[in-house]
Amino acid sequence: MNSAWRRTAARNLRNIYTGDFSNLRDIVTQIQVNSVRLEMPGLIPAVDGEDLFPTPLSVTVAAGAGCFLVPRPRA
């Protein structure tokens, strides 16, 4: 990682933890997918503070399997 990226991430740490990536478009790319494969040699991914499984790890979303309350996008 270069130092400019680290400075930008440090300045926006609160946004990263809240999930508000709207002002981080220069360092964060968001895409929508139904499944994803994680490959992170030497690292264990975590979701909501819980460790998952060693990678490689494939995750698939089942359509209609959950009910979510999502706030309206900001204007």
Side-chain angles (χ1 to χ4, degrees):
M1 272 187 257
N2 65 35
S3 59
W5 187 94
R6 287 178 191 235
R7 282 192 299 274
T8 302
R11 278 194 312 271
N12 294 286
L13 192 58
R14 181 180 59 160
N15 299 69
I16 292 169
Y17 280 106
T18 62
D20 181 14
F21 298 110
S22 59
N23 63 344
L24 300 176
R25 293 199 171 119
D26 55 332
I27 62 170
V28 174
T29 302
Q30 291 180 308
I31 58 172
Q32 292 182 348
V33 297
N34 293 330
S35 62
V36 65
R37 178 176 169 86
L38 301 173
E39 294 186 22
M40 303 167 50
L43 298 174
I44 305 280
V47 174
D48 291 336
E50 299 291 327
D51 288 347
L52 291 178
F53 306 98
T55 60
L57 172 70
S58 294
V59 179
T60 301
V61 176
C67 179
F68 305 94
L69 297 176
V70 180
R72 283 190 193 128
R74 294 181 193 169

